[in-house]
């Protein structure tokens, strides 16, 4: 893949013309699940339970005659195209072959194909991986090291299994004037929202604060050439896409073992690679109520990531600044709420807004944790 021009940078604004999909799409009937499963060499469908996590696609924990599986129904328009799904499946298989904790999908009976189509929907069947999700603040320092090392290894391996990339001329960052216009529109909607609840009052207050922050920091907009190197990335590396196995003593509730599987490769794609490491840290090592980052754990994770050779300290510093700017200009949760009447992201907003305000105050400390 060759980039010959300056590319747009996140945050991408939600497509307001597209209907909300993902977990709001119609559930798959039991008979359809059974028909899809018949195409794989796993035996008859016994039970099927929806998996609660995730916003973009539907998933089911399947029990077949041969054991447990995860059946994925691709419904998000951005990731549900067959060529894109197949490319992701090939990358997953190649990563597993390199010894990384990735569980690629099963092939259909008598075929190398991994995708099944039924009634206009696409499906893939994955092995069920036993394990549990862990928030980053649960991890010991050694586990923080291991997680940074794992992400660095994944980034290096993706370079080996995906199409070689040329570097783009640069990345355009968000325009703070446009962001301020959007913030004012969302603040008006928050004030007019009925019934007017605590989240609306919080949004009003945080958007007023955001307008002040945008004005204060407008001169710090990243230049297009300031992005760290582009590479292939997972695209959605966070706690809900990581499963940890039990520890050496079999106790899953204690320190726990290493990552057993990196899940959900739907957003596999090229981006400034060190930025994925920074975004992941802001989602993994945050206080789930206030959003404040545990900078001790961030530092351990970042040092381990850099030690793999995936990025330098300078790359992480540039990435931290660009992700901070991205968050300063990002309103997707409130756009879902007020422009699409989609409330699935509402629970995420208080901590997200709190983290940004704290980050603006502690900018130098956060930068130091990522780069030193």
């Amino acid at each position: 893949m060759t980039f010959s021009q300056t590319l747009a940078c996140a945050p991408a604004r939600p497509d307001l013309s597209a209907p909300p999909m993902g977990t709001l799409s119609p559930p798959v009937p039991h008979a359809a699940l059974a028909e899809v499963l018949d195409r794989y060499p796993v035996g008859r469908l016994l039970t099927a339970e929806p998996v609660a996590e995730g916003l973009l696609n539907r998933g089911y924990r399947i029990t077949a005659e041969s054991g447990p599986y995860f059946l994925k129904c691709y419904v998000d328009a951005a990731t549900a195209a067959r060529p894109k799904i197949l490319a992701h499946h090939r990358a997953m298989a190649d990563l597993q072959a390199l010894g990384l904790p990735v569980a690629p999908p099963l092939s259909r009976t008598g075929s190398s194909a991994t995708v099944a189509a039924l009634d206009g929907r696409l499906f893939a069947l994955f092995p069920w991986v036993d394990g549990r999700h862990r928030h980053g603040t649960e991890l010991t320092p050694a586990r923080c090291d291991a997680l940074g090392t794992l992400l660095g290894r994944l980034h290096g391996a993706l370079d080996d299994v995906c199409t070689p990339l040329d570097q783009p001329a640069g990345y355009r960052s968000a325009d703070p004037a446009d962001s301020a216009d959007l913030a004012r529109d969302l603040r008006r909607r928050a004030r007019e929202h009925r019934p007017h609840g605590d989240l609306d009052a919080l949004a009003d207050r945080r958007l007023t604060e955001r307008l002040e922050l945008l004005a204060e920091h407008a001169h710090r907009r990243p230049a297009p050439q300031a992005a760290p190197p582009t590479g292939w990335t997972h695209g959605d590396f966070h706690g809900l896409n990581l499963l940890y196995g039990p520890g050496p003593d079999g106790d899953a509730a204690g320190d726990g073992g290493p990552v057993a599987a990196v899940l959900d490769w739907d957003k596999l794609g090229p981006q400034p690679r060190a930025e994925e490491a920074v975004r992941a840290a802001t989602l993994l090592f945050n206080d789930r109520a206030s959003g404040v980052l545990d900078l001790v754990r961030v530092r351990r994770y970042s040092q381990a990531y850099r030690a793999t050779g995936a990025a330098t300290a300078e790359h992480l510093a540039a990435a931290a600044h660009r992700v901070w700017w991205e968050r300063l200009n990002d309103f997707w949760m409130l756009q879902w709420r007020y422009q699409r009447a989609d409330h699935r992201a509402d629970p995420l907003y208080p901590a997200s807004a709190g983290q940004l305000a704290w980050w603006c105050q502690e900018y130098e400390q956060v930068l130091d944790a990522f780069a030193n």
Side-chain angles (χ1 to χ4, degrees):
M1 181 178 294
T2 300
F3 300 131
S4 59
Q5 74 278 353
T6 300
L7 302 180
C9 182
R13 305 300 186 199
D15 181 0
L16 301 180
S17 65
M21 289 293 292
T23 51
L24 295 183
S25 65
V28 183
H30 187 86
L33 295 174
E35 186 174 345
V36 170
L37 206 66
D38 283 344
R39 303 180 189 183
Y40 295 88
V42 297
R44 183 170 54 90
L45 174 65
L46 301 178
T47 64
E49 301 175 3
V51 175
E53 286 89 357
L55 298 175
L56 300 181
N57 292 296
R58 282 197 169 274
Y60 296 86
R61 176 169 182 166
I62 296 291
T63 305
E65 289 177 314
S66 59
Y69 298 90
F70 175 73
L71 182 65
K72 186 168 194 170
C73 174
Y74 294 87
V75 294
D76 176 51
T79 59
R82 186 186 290 265
K84 185 174 290 188
I85 294 171
L86 292 174
H88 296 169
H89 289 179
R90 287 192 295 270
M92 293 174 71
D94 291 342
L95 290 171
Q96 184 191 54
L98 292 174
L100 290 158
V102 179
L106 280 67
S107 296
R108 288 162 48 188
T109 303
S111 170
S112 61
T114 54
V115 175
L118 182 67
D119 298 332
R121 289 176 166 181
L122 299 178
F123 298 83
L125 186 67
F126 296 82
W128 184 265
V129 180
D130 285 324
R132 59 169 293 213
H133 301 297
R134 292 182 182 274
H135 192 62
T137 54
E138 299 177 56
L139 302 181
T140 63
R143 291 290 175 225
C144 296
D145 296 345
L147 190 58
T149 299
L150 173 60
L151 183 58
R153 289 183 60 212
L154 282 171
H155 283 170
L158 285 169
D159 281 347
D160 295 332
V161 305
C162 295
T163 307
L165 292 170
D166 289 339
Q167 294 299 308
Y171 286 86
R172 294 190 305 274
S173 56
D175 184 337
D178 291 342
S179 298
D181 288 342
L182 178 55
R184 282 187 284 268
D185 177 69
L186 291 170
R187 184 174 62 175
R188 175 186 59 80
R189 293 171 185 262
R191 290 172 175 175
E192 295 175 356
H193 189 263
R194 297 294 180 270
H196 193 80
D198 291 343
L199 188 59
D200 302 303
L202 175 65
D204 183 0
R205 178 169 64 83
R206 288 298 193 186
L207 286 166
T208 298
E209 173 186 67
R210 185 76 67 93
L211 286 164
E212 295 170 356
L213 292 172
L214 284 166
E216 178 182 353
H217 297 292
H219 65 287
R220 302 178 72 183
R221 180 182 181 181
Q225 295 76 29
T230 291
W232 288 96
T233 64
H234 176 274
D236 203 19
F237 196 85
H238 58 72
L240 290 180
N241 285 333
L242 299 170
L243 278 179
Y244 291 82
D249 59 356
D251 179 15
D255 175 35
V259 172
V262 181
L263 309 174
D264 195 359
W265 288 81
D266 294 355
K267 294 185 178 180
L268 169 65
Q271 64 171 301
R273 187 162 52 193
E275 292 180 22
E276 172 158 81
V278 172
R279 285 192 199 93
T282 67
L283 300 172
L284 286 160
F285 301 112
N286 64 334
D287 181 277
R288 283 177 278 193
S290 68
V292 171
L293 294 178
D294 183 328
L295 295 182
V296 173
R297 287 181 165 88
V298 168
R299 190 181 303 276
R300 293 290 297 254
Y301 155 92
S302 299
Q303 289 174 339
Y305 176 76
R306 298 200 311 271
T308 67
T312 66
E314 292 74 17
H315 296 156
L316 264 294
H321 180 71
R322 286 173 49 81
V323 173
W324 166 77
W325 182 262
E326 169 189 305
R327 297 291 171 79
L328 184 61
N329 289 268
D330 193 8
F331 301 90
W332 75 267
M333 297 173 195
L334 295 183
Q335 287 185 272
W336 276 30
R337 175 176 174 82
Y338 294 119
Q339 296 178 333
R340 298 184 61 170
D342 184 343
H343 297 279
R344 290 176 295 164
D346 287 0
L348 305 176
Y349 179 71
S352 175
Q355 181 179 100
L356 175 63
W358 171 84
W359 195 344
C360 289
Q361 293 176 350
E362 303 294 337
Y363 178 89
E364 296 298 336
Q365 297 300 319
V366 176
L367 186 68
D368 185 73
F370 278 112
N372 292 312

